[in-house]
Amino acid sequence: MTASGLLALSICAALVAAVLGFFLGRSITARAHRKPPGLTVADLMQRVVHSSHNAVAVLNRFGDVVLHNPRAEELGVVADARADPRARKAAEVVLETGEVLEVDLSPLERATLSSRQPAAVLGEARLLGDGFVVVDASDESDAVRLEAIRRDFVANVSHELKTPVGALALLAEAVLDAVDDEDEVRRFASKILHEANRLGTLVTELIALSRLQGAERLPELTPVELDAVVTEALGRCKLAAESLGIEIAADEASGLIVDGDRTLLVTALANLIDNAVAYSPPDSPVSVSRRLVDNFVEISVTDRGIGIPAELQGRVFERFFRIDPARSRATGGTGLGLAIVKHVAANHAGEVRLWSRPGTGSTFTMRIPAHRADHGGGTPNSSTVDVRDADDPRPVNAGSVEHGGVQ
């Protein structure tokens, strides 16, 4: 082969090698930049942050938000892509000290404890390194509300217990002073007995309320005949009604059955009837009716009592709340009866409703899911005694109500 042929062959080989090297390099580069199949660790971390129940916001050394999740906006940690000034200040301190710092990020315009808006947002600022700080905040509103309820409950209980305890002490001193006067001793002794019974009732109802609010496990719900509940509750209230000349009229037996605890249901219904009797004028009627509505058993107690003003109807189920405190003391009411009714209904997956008009009376209706065997059954008896005025908008078989007074 001539020299020119060798030169041409060498040039061709060099060109082939260059082309192969070019394509091989592109192939390696493409493989290096090709995204691996599936999620990366970065993808997973981003999803974790965005699905967190806590508010998470990452700030750089200038206080700018570089990453945050939707919860951070819901709790007000981040608004319009800017961090809360308190969070930015905390981040600055953390960058200087490197220590974890707690920060209160609660709304400056505080939501009321009764609302469902965040009322207490507490966070921590932690150093991530390289000039980044993470602010992790959570909604502590439920804990704050619970603590407020606990404080109110303790204060209310202390106040309510002071009255009968103080009365017992004074009456005991009166008995000692009148030890030689048999009539006075007998009179003061009867008052001591009255106050002792009142104190015992208050303690019993406090225990019952604590049990209903979850301090103890409730018994398993079993099928309960509603007619038996009504009969037993009426029996408990008979003497008090007769002493005031009040006739309690109940509709005919319905045959309805609910899933529940018989003792609790009797207690709740007896509380409603007692309340109706205590706040009704002498010789006025009180009626009890029962019916099945949309797979719920409704037990209504209607009175012709003093009624409840519209602005107070939302408070009648509060512990120790009384429409007429003087009348409650005279009747021995504890102010816990309707709170117990509300919690009994709630523990049976039901509710209590109220209709009332001052000077006309009230109707309390406890609604409890019917036993499943009764669903779709025949229409039960729903008659009741009509105690309405001509302009009373309630049907004869009144819907729910709580009545005119609160024991």
Side-chain angles (χ1 to χ4, degrees), residues 84 86 102-107 110 120-123:
D84 184 290
R86 292 166 293 178
E102 293 185 353
V103 54
D104 185 354
L105 299 172
S106 303
R110 298 267 181 176
V121 180
L122 304 179

Side-chain angles (χ1 to χ4, degrees), residues 163-339:
T163 302
V165 170
L168 286 172
L170 291 174
L171 289 169
E173 291 179 5
V175 169
L176 291 175
D177 291 339
V179 65
D180 296 326
D181 189 333
E182 183 177 344
D183 293 335
E184 286 296 292
V185 168
R186 184 176 291 105
R187 183 168 70 89
F188 288 128
S190 65
K191 291 184 177 182
I192 289 175
L193 180 60
H194 174 76
E195 292 297 334
N197 288 335
R198 181 184 174 193
L199 182 60
T201 301
L202 177 59
V203 172
T204 299
E205 293 194 347
L206 282 172
I207 293 172
L209 190 57
S210 175
R211 174 173 175 248
L212 290 168
Q213 290 180 302
E216 296 182 17
R217 179 181 175 84
L218 292 175
E220 294 296 329
L221 303 185
T222 58
V224 177
E225 294 182 1
L226 184 63
D227 298 332
V229 171
V230 173
T231 300
E232 186 172 345
L234 290 173
R236 290 189 185 183
C237 307
K238 183 178 180 181
L239 289 178
E242 289 179 348
S243 65
L244 295 173
I246 292 176
E247 179 183 357
I248 304 176
D251 58 356
E252 297 180 2
S254 63
L256 291 170
I257 297 177
V258 297
D259 290 319
D261 178 83
R262 173 169 172 162
T263 300
L264 293 178
L265 291 174
V266 170
T267 298
L269 182 57
N271 284 352
L272 290 180
I273 298 173
D274 276 337
N275 206 51
V277 169
Y279 286 89
S280 294
D283 303 318
S284 64
V286 169
S287 66
V288 179
S289 63
R290 62 212 113 171
R291 63 176 181 172
L292 181 65
V293 180
D294 297 330
N295 293 331
F296 276 82
V297 172
E298 294 188 350
I299 316 167
S300 298
V301 178
T302 301
D303 65 52
R304 296 295 294 269
I306 61 177
I308 305 172
E311 65 273 14
L312 298 179
Q313 291 182 14
R315 300 191 58 195
V316 293
F317 293 103
E318 295 178 8
R319 291 183 297 260
F320 302 113
F321 179 78
R322 299 175 175 91
I323 297 293
D324 185 349
R327 189 164 188 170
S328 293
R329 286 192 294 270
T331 60
T334 63
L336 295 174
L338 295 181

Side-chain angles (χ1 to χ4, degrees), residues 12-40:
C12 289
L15 289 173
V16 170
V19 171
L20 288 175
F22 173 75
F23 284 108
L24 182 60
R26 289 195 60 180
S27 176
I28 293 173
T29 302
R31 284 199 299 271
H33 290 84
R34 186 181 303 156
K35 186 177 180 180
L39 294 174
T40 64

